Amino acid sequence: MRVLVRDKGLVLKSKNYKTVQLYLLLALCIARCFSMFVDPYFSQKTQPPVLVGNLYGIVYPIIDSLLAIEIIALYTLVSSFNENKSTKTITVKARKIFLIFAVAEFTTQVFADTMRALGHNFSWLIICQVYFIIWGTALATAFTWYGYKLYKQANALARAKRGNSQANHIKLYLGRIMAKQVWCSAFCLLIIFLSVYGLLNPSMSNDEYATYIILQRCMEVGLALNVLRGLLPPKYLTQLFMTPNDKKLRDSVLFLHSNKVTKASSSTDGRDEESAVTKKAPDVQRWVSMKASTKITPVAFSLADFESTQVMSSMRANAVNKINTAEETPMLVIPLENFFSFGKIPRSSDNLTRPKIEHDIAVFISHRWWGENKPDNDDNLKYHTLCRGLRSLINGDKTLKKERKNVVIWMDFACVEQDDKDKLMQGVRSLIAYSLRSKYFLVPVHTHDAAAFVKAGSPVDLANYGERAWCRVEFYIFLCLSEICGEELKCFGYGPTDEKAGLDGKVPFLICFRRNVEVLRAMADSFEGAKFNSASLLSNGDLFSEADRARIHELETSIHDDYTNIVLECAKKRFSDSSSLGLSNKQFYDSDVPKIVEALFGSDTSFSSLNISGNSFTSTGIGNMLSGSNTLGSVIELDFSDNVLGSAQPIVEILSKTTKIRCLSLRKCNLDSDDVAAIVAALPASASYFDISCNKFGEKACESVDAMLSHPNSLATLKLSRCQINDVDSLSIFAGFRHDTCVLALLDLSDNAIGAWGAGELHKLVVEFAVVTKVITKGNKRFPTALKQEILLYQQVIKHFHKI
């Protein structure tokens, strides 16, 4: 079954099952061809009876599997018309049930046919035939029911838009899908009827049996051809079943063929034809060949990628020497095997530690306490998680596996004196040196935080860990120092991906089995380096005592200066012969602008792409950085995302000097509605990609979007997610579709507050203007699912017929 709608999470894509169905059809054909041509009904007895029996009987579970796949696709299409949040969950469960039934069917059939072939014709094997008859009847009934529901939805849609040609074609298309399911149901019921007849009449004459077999094979061929029809490419499928009225409509107002128009324009007759078509459909022509613009080119880099020059080696040596002087008390570690055998998280008073020696490979354990006033809960969950995590880390790393005897653990509760306050503070102040001497970093993840762990891209994204300032201190120091020293960032998290995991990190599987759901995930990308934006810096983390913030800020500053100096030295080498400059997530502030300009923005410097996202620049700092640069005249990509700009005027001045810019990203820049309106108004007509998500929109900003789209522009992608856009605001944005100058291919409005009113306006524009712009509305909780489904269906039908 070919489902039209492509919105992820709403409708099951047929391509997920297409290959499975093709393989099943191929197996069915092979089995029946063998029975008919190699040794017809075992009359010659040239093949082993086990092979013949299995190839003869395997057809029935194949047919049931084909029909089950059709049912799942049909159910998801029908249910997507209703605002039902459980659709996706039910579909996932249906897949699992289908898999279990399929395995049971094939296993049962193979067992029964093998027993019969070996002469064990047990009377109870008749249960197999009864089972397939009952299961087939259930599938045929489901086909009839869901086909009827689909037909009702198609009729309701046509009645709601009576006289509208698009609605009639959607009804027609859905009707064909329904007709296919009716034929599947009919063939299935006929096969079941013949099976019941054969079961009740075991002593048929030769002529009766021959007629019975021929009819059964005809029904199987009919069912297979009907399923195959649904797997044909849409071009051939639609051409095969297109009526004359369909073809007239396709060639007229709504369904323009851009290739024909292009070819026609090369000749005089073609120009006349193009002119005639354009007169018929002035509002559709502009949507024909839109494509979404790609996002800004990434230009991230890591300090570990560079061979040390003399200057870099000197800078790194000075940084390391300064860090080593911070070690006020020797680093104590726990041998790996001692940790494994202790049975719980050790305390400093348990005396399991020894001083770190030269050949030790230290794993730095960073964690939050999981119990009340103690590092672990009563079940020692963290300890067991750490043991499994360490084993997984060692088994997956060749160096650790080879040097297992030299692996040691550093953990604050065990390796820093807990009973002497002075020694405790010495250990805290020595933390920066301990991080430098550790090669690996491991964070245990609690079962309750499994959902966040699955999505986490860095330690700061880990729930109940990454928001804490002292936790940030540990992984910030480790990542920055590893990068400063030119080493690979070996930072990992270990824990379950399912909140139902037990103490052993497993969840129940089938009846008596348990499945492991714990994984070891890399929490840093060595290619991009230590990524920290203003929000994720340790000085912005949560603290129990604000008195600690000054100490944390001091630690951050001490590393920041060395880190940024080496970053700029590497950037000079990385981008000296490149047209792209990338300093994303490198912890720069406005105070760093003078040394950035000195290092990278010479009088003869010119870049086509500039990415300074994920820092702590204000708009003033960016303005100062670019004010004397020759870059703006040739720049085509600018990414200022995830900075604390706070003002639009310097950005407007920068945009006024750009004439070739194609991509601009100002995502999450702390801009209000007036700032956004000013920037949108200043956006050059050459821009094809504009991301201004996660800023504060309002009526003024939305009106500026409408005004921008009303003038000649090249904007193909516009991203406005998480901008607090409501129904009233969305009307101004959707009004932009009415303008002939609008060529948007993608409009991202996800995670806003658009409801039924805004959805109705969007639906109206899609129908009246044949808008095929992909509008992402995910996360708008009040946006009716039924309207979303209908909008997507209209757009897909328009694009589908246009491609023919």
Side-chain angles (χ1 to χ4, degrees), residues 59 63 174 445 565 576 588 614 782 801:
V59 169
I63 290 175
L174 295 180
V445 178
N565 288 336
S576 59
F588 286 111
R782 296 186 299 109
F801 277 90

Side-chain angles (χ1 to χ4, degrees), residues 443-502:
V443 182
V445 178
H446 197 285
T447 304
H448 299 158
D449 305 322
F453 178 50
V454 172
K455 302 176 182 179
S458 69
V460 77
D461 299 325
L462 298 175
N464 295 313
Y465 172 83
E467 69 274 15
R468 297 300 303 166
W470 280 111
C471 295
R472 291 185 180 188
V473 166
E474 294 177 348
F475 64 77
Y476 173 83
I477 292 173
F478 176 82
L479 292 175
C480 290
L481 295 184
S482 295
E483 193 175 356
I484 285 175
C485 295
E487 296 181 355
E488 185 179 352
L489 306 185
K490 299 179 179 178
C491 176
F492 301 92
Y494 184 85
T497 57
D498 192 326
E499 294 183 356
K500 298 179 182 179

Side-chain angles (χ1 to χ4, degrees), residues 33-46 52:
C33 287
F34 183 90
S35 299
M36 295 296 294
F37 300 113
V38 177
D39 190 358
Y41 303 108
F42 203 48
S43 57
Q44 306 299 323
K45 298 184 179 180
T46 58
V52 175

Side-chain angles (χ1 to χ4, degrees), residues 192-211:
I192 292 171
F193 173 78
L194 291 173
S195 298
V196 172
Y197 180 83
L199 193 65
L200 298 177
N201 298 275
S203 55
M204 288 183 286
S205 65
N206 290 338
D207 291 340
E208 290 174 338
Y209 184 73
T211 303

Side-chain angles (χ1 to χ4, degrees), residues 308-546:
S308 294
T309 62
Q310 185 175 357
V311 176
M312 289 171 59
S313 298
S314 177
M315 294 171 69
R316 281 173 168 160
N318 291 336
V320 169
N321 291 334
K322 185 170 71 173
I323 292 167
N324 284 331
T325 60
E327 185 172 340
E328 298 183 16
T329 182
M331 183 178 183
L332 302 178
V333 294
I334 306 174
L336 180 67
E337 298 305 327
N338 291 359
F339 184 83
F340 283 160
S341 62
F342 193 68
K344 63 178 182 179
I345 291 179
R347 194 177 187 276
S348 60
S349 56
D350 292 322
N351 297 321
L352 293 183
T353 60
R354 63 164 174 80
K356 183 181 182 299
I357 58 178
E358 181 181 356
H359 299 294
D360 285 341
I361 302 175
V363 180
F364 192 108
I365 305 295
S366 179
H367 64 109
R368 277 192 72 180
W369 286 16
W370 290 5
E372 294 184 8
N373 300 319
K374 57 183 180 179
D376 207 350
N377 61 11
D378 295 335
D379 296 325
N380 292 324
L381 175 61
K382 182 189 291 183
Y383 171 77
H384 293 297
T385 302
L386 279 173
C387 288
R388 292 191 293 269
L390 288 166
R391 291 190 178 97
S392 178
L393 178 63
I394 293 169
N395 292 333
D397 189 286
K398 293 181 179 179
T399 301
L400 288 180
K401 199 169 186 179
K402 183 178 180 180
E403 302 290 338
R404 181 187 175 102
K405 62 181 180 180
N406 295 325
V407 177
V408 294
I409 309 299
W410 186 93
M411 194 174 186
D412 54 2
F413 191 67
C415 301
V416 175
E417 179 59 53
Q418 301 294 310
D419 299 319
D420 188 320
K421 187 174 181 179
D422 292 337
K423 290 184 178 180
L424 175 62
M425 294 310 299
Q426 287 178 350
V428 171
R429 290 192 292 269
S430 302
L431 189 63
I432 185 172
Y434 298 161
S435 296
L436 179 64
R437 300 180 65 185
S438 300
K439 298 297 183 184
Y440 295 83
F441 191 93
L442 181 64
V443 182
V445 178
H446 197 285
T447 304
H448 299 158
D449 305 322
F453 178 50
V454 172
K455 302 176 182 179
S458 69
V460 77
D461 299 325
L462 298 175
N464 295 313
Y465 172 83
E467 69 274 15
R468 297 300 303 166
W470 280 111
C471 295
R472 291 185 180 188
V473 166
E474 294 177 348
F475 64 77
Y476 173 83
I477 292 173
F478 176 82
L479 292 175
C480 290
L481 295 184
S482 295
E483 193 175 356
I484 285 175
C485 295
E487 296 181 355
E488 185 179 352
L489 306 185
K490 299 179 179 178
C491 176
F492 301 92
Y494 184 85
T497 57
D498 192 326
E499 294 183 356
K500 298 179 182 179
L503 185 63
D504 57 355
K506 298 180 180 180
V507 295
F509 178 64
L510 294 179
I511 299 175
C512 55
F513 300 98
R514 293 180 66 81
R515 178 168 56 92
N516 184 33
V517 293
E518 287 185 332
V519 295
L520 182 74
R521 293 192 61 214
M523 291 285 104
D525 189 338
S526 293
F527 173 75
E528 296 183 343
K531 296 175 62 176
F532 290 93
N533 56 24
S534 58
S536 62
L537 288 173
L538 48 156
S539 56
N540 292 325
D542 298 336
L543 286 168
F544 287 115
S545 175
E546 284 297 321

